[in-house]
């Protein structure tokens, strides 16, 4: 067994198998588990997925949302047990792997093209949405 | 003293804690069992110790003395040999050819990991010794990272006209034996002979490392063990 397989083998049971398909640009809801003392509740963080990086257990996602004109970005390990669920709300078309340019955008230009409208029709290929 | 085992650094990953709250960075170490290749006694060697051989080596890459030495323990020639000093009655408990592995670390919470750090080449004083360097502005020209005066006295009193021995300067950095002390043992996989310790260990992936139960704990870790 190679070194990388040994390292990966420690995480087989921790890797999530029920992840929805999430691409950069999609608007997602992250259901984060918040533990306060004994009690536990779910907090939903809704925003645009602007970055996915790393592989396997190391994969991180960055979600950006704007509230009261204040941009907020949060990062999570995608396989963290502290995340109960991911929900994809809206799919969007993105030509880039990282949408850091959204940080400088204000107003309407902050919106991303919807995948349904943006996709060109290709014969035989099913459009998503 | 306890036995020092030999192994190989495989690489790093992360595991989540039991409650899922924390992500723990871990280094995976391959601790394939070592073979006892010699038991040194006061009578014959002047000191008592246990010698371990670890790592496979092709016979054609090894010398006749080496093959003969390890053959006495009934094993193939080994790549690395290490000795652990211990009291004679303790060392007497080991037999030639006996396999020792992670079972010796049962119940051990903290370990020291010894490795050879990555070579950094010829480096200046700032990187090598943590010098502050000079100012960026205020008239400093072309000397921003220079070490400054290195003194010219040789002794503490004054005027020997030479530089003191051991003066910290630029030079070769890294590729030295480094001990990472008191690392948390996160998991022991006895079946596959793998050890997970918290945090990084010295050296590159694939490098040889030595692991022993921690010989000295800092205060907070000492408290955890006693309680």
């Amino acid at each position: 067994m190679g070194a990388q397989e040994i390292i990966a083998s420690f995480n087989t049971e921790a890797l999530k198998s029920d992840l929805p398909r999430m691409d950069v640009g999609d608007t997602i809801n992250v259901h984060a588990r918040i533990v306060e003392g004994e009690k536990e509740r779910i907090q939903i963080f809704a925003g645009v997925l602007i970055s996915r990086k790393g592989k396997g257990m190391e994969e991180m996602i960055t979600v950006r949302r704007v509230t009261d004109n204040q941009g907020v970005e949060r990062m999570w390990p995608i396989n963290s047990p502290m995340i109960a669920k991911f929900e994809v709300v809206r799919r969007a078309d993105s030509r880039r792997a990282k949408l850091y340019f959204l940080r400088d955008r204000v107003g309407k230009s902050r919106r991303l093209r919807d995948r349904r409208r943006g996709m060109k029709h290709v014969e035989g290929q099913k459009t998503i949405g | 003293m306890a036995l020092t085992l030999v192994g190989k650094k495989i690489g790093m990953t992360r595991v989540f804690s039991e409650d899922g709250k924390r992500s723990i960075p871990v280094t995976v170490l391959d601790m394939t069992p070592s073979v006892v290749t010699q038991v040194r006694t006061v009578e014959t060697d002047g000191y008592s110790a246990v010698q371990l051989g670890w790592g496979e080596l092709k016979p054609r890459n090894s010398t006749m003395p080496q093959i003969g030495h390890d053959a006495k323990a009934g094993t193939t020639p080994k790549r690395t040999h290490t000795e652990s000093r211990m009291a004679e009655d303790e060392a007497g408990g080991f037999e030639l050819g006996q396999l020792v592995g992670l079972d010796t670390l049962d119940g051990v919470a903290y370990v020291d990991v010894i490795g050879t750090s990555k070579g950094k080449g010829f480096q200046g004083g700032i990187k090598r010794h943590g010098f502050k360097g000079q100012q960026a502005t205020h008239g400093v020209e072309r000397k921003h990272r220079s070490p400054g005066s290195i003194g010219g006295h040789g002794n503490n009193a004054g005027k020997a006209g030479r530089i003191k021995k051991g003066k910290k300067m630029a030079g070769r950095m890294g590729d030295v034996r480094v001990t990472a002390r008191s690392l948390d043992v996160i998991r022991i996989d006895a079946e596959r002979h793998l050890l997970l310790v918290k945090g990084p260990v010295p050296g590159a992936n694939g490098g040889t490392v030595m692991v022993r139960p921690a010989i000295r704990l800092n205060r907070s870790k000492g408290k955890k063990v006693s309680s």
Side-chain angles (χ1 to χ4, degrees):
Chain A
M1 196 150 53
Q4 286 311 312
E5 285 110 73
I6 292 175
I7 289 172
S9 69
F10 278 100
N11 300 316
T12 43
E13 73 274 19
L15 277 176
K16 290 181 181 172
S17 54
D18 57 342
L19 286 174
R21 181 180 164 182
M22 290 186 291
D23 295 323
V24 168
D26 294 352
T27 306
I28 60 171
N29 286 349
V30 181
H31 293 241
R33 288 166 53 204
I34 310 274
V35 181
E36 290 162 333
E38 291 293 295
K39 278 205 266 180
E40 188 187 305
R41 63 191 174 82
I42 300 280
Q43 192 183 58
I44 296 174
F45 189 89
V48 181
L49 178 59
I50 62 166
S51 151
R52 273 181 89 150
K53 59 178 179 181
K55 265 184 184 176
M57 205 57 189
E58 304 287 323
E59 184 164 1
M60 302 284 290
I61 57 162
T62 307
V63 181
R64 176 181 172 85
R65 70 180 294 186
V66 178
T67 44
D68 299 339
N69 254 339
Q70 184 66 50
V72 180
E73 280 177 23
R74 287 194 68 177
M75 290 180 81
W76 286 279
I78 207 163
N79 287 295
S80 168
M82 293 308 279
I83 296 181
K85 195 168 70 165
F86 291 106
E87 260 176 0
V88 181
V89 179
R90 175 178 173 266
R91 295 200 183 278
D93 193 23
S94 161
R95 290 186 164 219
R96 254 143 258 282
K98 306 278 186 286
L99 304 182
Y100 297 142
F101 67 86
L102 288 180
R103 293 167 178 168
D104 307 324
R105 293 286 179 89
V106 185
K108 279 189 176 177
S109 65
R110 202 187 282 136
R111 294 169 308 170
L112 291 167
R113 207 150 50 132
D114 198 74
R115 165 101 15 117
R116 270 171 301 183
R117 269 180 288 142
M119 280 276 280
K120 276 182 189 160
H121 178 72
V122 181
E123 198 66 49
Q125 192 184 341
K126 219 176 146 188
T127 43
I128 307 150
Chain B
M1 231 176 87
L3 210 55
T4 303
L5 298 171
V6 190
K8 188 172 86 171
K9 174 174 171 178
I10 292 179
M12 290 193 71
T13 182
R14 72 165 94 203
V15 293
F16 286 101
S17 60
E18 300 264 310
D19 56 7
K21 278 187 207 164
R22 288 175 305 127
S23 161
I24 306 167
V26 292
T27 307
V28 184
L29 303 175
D30 174 9
M31 304 300 290
T32 308
S34 308
V35 186
V36 177
T37 47
Q38 196 176 11
V39 178
R40 295 198 182 270
T41 58
V42 176
E43 206 178 301
T44 55
D45 306 291
Y47 64 98
S48 62
V50 172
Q51 188 190 76
L52 298 179
W54 185 88
E56 287 310 314
L57 192 63
K58 283 180 190 162
R60 75 157 184 239
N61 288 341
S62 45
T63 60
M64 283 312 286
Q66 206 174 1
I67 294 170
H69 176 79
D70 289 341
K72 277 184 200 164
T75 178
T76 51
K78 298 294 177 198
R79 191 154 56 88
T80 315
H81 292 85
T82 54
E83 280 187 9
S84 307
R85 296 284 284 263
M86 55 177 73
E88 195 150 10
D89 49 342
E90 224 180 318
F94 289 93
E95 289 170 17
L96 284 184
Q98 185 187 341
L99 287 175
V100 286
L102 283 172
D103 44 332
T104 59
L105 289 179
D106 267 348
V108 173
Y110 300 102
V111 290
D112 294 341
V113 178
I114 303 159
T116 306
S117 63
K118 283 183 183 174
K120 302 279 190 292
F122 193 102
Q123 296 297 336
I126 291 183
K127 189 183 177 93
R128 192 171 180 225
H129 301 295
F131 292 165
K132 282 183 170 169
Q134 318 310 322
Q135 283 172 310
T137 59
H138 290 290
V140 177
E141 278 183 317
R142 305 178 296 279
K143 294 197 181 307
H144 306 286
R145 291 178 68 89
S146 77
S149 168
I150 51 174
H153 300 311
N155 55 10
N156 289 331
K159 300 165 176 155
R162 58 190 167 86
I163 309 304
K164 225 176 160 181
K165 277 195 176 173
K167 177 78 203 137
K168 289 177 183 174
M169 292 195 212
R172 284 278 186 94
M173 184 183 171
D175 198 15
V176 289
R177 180 186 159 113
V178 177
T179 306
R181 288 187 188 278
S182 309
L183 303 178
D184 298 40
V185 174
I186 301 297
R187 204 182 294 171
I188 294 177
D189 188 338
E191 208 172 292
R192 294 189 291 163
H193 310 297
L194 298 172
L195 172 70
L196 264 63
V197 296
K198 184 175 173 182
V201 306
N205 291 347
T208 306
V209 293
M210 288 181 269
V211 179
R212 65 172 183 227
I215 53 169
R216 199 183 320 134
L217 294 176
N218 67 21
R219 203 173 291 166
S220 63
K221 286 183 176 174
K223 261 186 203 160
K224 265 193 231 165
V225 169
S226 60
S227 64

